[in-house]
């Protein structure tokens, strides 16, 4: 396997900088939203409104309040780091796929005019990726390790993930959760195909 200069230069702990950076941006945005006039949540994803499609990118960075952000921060950090272990490029690729699939699914299947904000779609996407990653090709030792990690993740977050789709309270988008998880699963399958075809993605 050829190791690129970028892979050589990247310290293992440096890979965790990506989810940390993403969280920092969310906290800075929330702080700015709290002190500046008006509200940033209007830039979220508004279903069935073409002008609101920018919310696919901006929506995950916005939160309704501090409690909303705090609730998303810990699982996003934990699950995001599990994705980032495979490299910075992989983390951002998975994040992009989850945001697009989750955003489009939410835009289509939510009630027209519904405004959706929050990073929970990314959380569900990272969960879906970590679970589906077990089925990617690789050495037996790696697949066993991924399986162990997936079992632990399911034990820790599986119940809340199911509740986030089938037992959500009013005002919470189960669509964002469901399609975020689907996006994470698709991201794992895309990575699997790239490895099988001898693409540039490596684990």
């Amino acid at each position: 396997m050829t190791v690129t200069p970028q892979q050589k230069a990247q310290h293992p702990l440096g890979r965790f900088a990506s989810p940390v950076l993403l969280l920092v941006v969310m906290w800075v945005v929330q702080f700015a939203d709290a002190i500046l006039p008006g509200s940033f949540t209007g830039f979220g994803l508004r279903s069935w409104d073409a002008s609101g499609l920018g919310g696919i990118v901006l929506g995950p960075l916005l939160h309704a309040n501090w409690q909303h952000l705090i609730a998303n921060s810990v699982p996003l950090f934990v699950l995001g780091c599990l994705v980032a272990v495979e490299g910075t490029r992989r983390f951002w690729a998975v994040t992009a796929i989850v945001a697009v699939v989750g955003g489009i699914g939410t835009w289509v299947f939510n009630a027209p005019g519904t405004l959706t904000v929050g990073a929970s779609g990314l959380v569900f996407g990272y969960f879906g990726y970590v679970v589906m990653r077990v089925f990617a090709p690789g050495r037996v030792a790696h697949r066993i390790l991924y399986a162990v990690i997936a079992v632990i993740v399911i034990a820790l977050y599986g119940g809340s993930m199911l509740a986030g789709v089938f037992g959500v309270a009013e005002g919470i988008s189960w669509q964002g959760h469901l399609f975020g998880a689907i996006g994470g699963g698709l991201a794992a399958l895309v990575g699997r195909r790239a490895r099988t075809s001898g693409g540039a993605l490596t684990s």
Side-chain angles (χ1 to χ4, degrees):
M1 178 181 68
T2 302
V3 180
T4 65
Q6 180 183 9
Q7 289 172 318
K8 285 182 179 180
Q10 190 176 39
H11 189 276
L13 290 179
R15 300 180 182 190
F16 299 146
S18 294
V20 170
L21 175 61
L22 184 58
L23 272 173
V24 167
V25 170
M26 291 177 185
W27 279 78
V28 169
V29 168
Q30 183 63 27
F31 183 76
D33 194 17
I35 63 174
L36 295 176
S39 175
F40 291 171
T41 55
F43 294 102
L45 180 67
R46 194 174 295 277
S47 296
W48 291 85
D49 184 348
S51 65
L53 284 173
I56 291 177
V57 176
L58 298 176
L61 304 177
L62 305 172
H63 290 81
N65 48 51
W66 286 107
Q67 291 79 7
H68 187 201
L69 174 59
I70 292 169
N72 281 333
S73 292
V74 173
L76 188 143
F77 175 73
V78 173
L79 295 171
C81 283
L82 290 176
V83 177
V85 164
E86 299 183 23
T88 299
R89 290 177 61 185
R90 178 63 54 79
F91 173 81
W92 290 114
V94 171
T95 300
I97 293 172
V98 169
V100 171
V101 174
I104 291 176
T106 302
W107 191 86
V108 171
F109 288 96
N110 229 332
T114 302
L115 185 65
T116 303
V117 296
S120 56
L122 294 181
V123 172
F124 277 73
Y126 296 153
F127 175 85
Y129 179 85
V130 171
V131 172
M132 288 299 295
R133 184 65 178 79
V134 177
F135 302 101
R139 289 185 293 180
V140 174
H142 284 175
R143 299 186 69 175
I144 292 174
L145 177 60
Y146 290 133
V148 171
I149 292 173
V151 168
I152 294 173
V153 166
I154 291 171
L156 290 175
Y157 294 107
S160 60
M161 294 295 158
L162 286 175
V165 174
F166 299 106
V168 294
E170 185 178 356
I172 298 177
S173 174
W174 63 264
Q175 295 91 340
H177 297 172
L178 175 61
F179 286 98
I182 291 173
L186 290 175
L189 294 178
V190 168
R192 175 181 180 179
R193 288 174 181 170
R195 293 184 195 93
T196 304
S197 62
L201 297 178
T202 59
S203 60

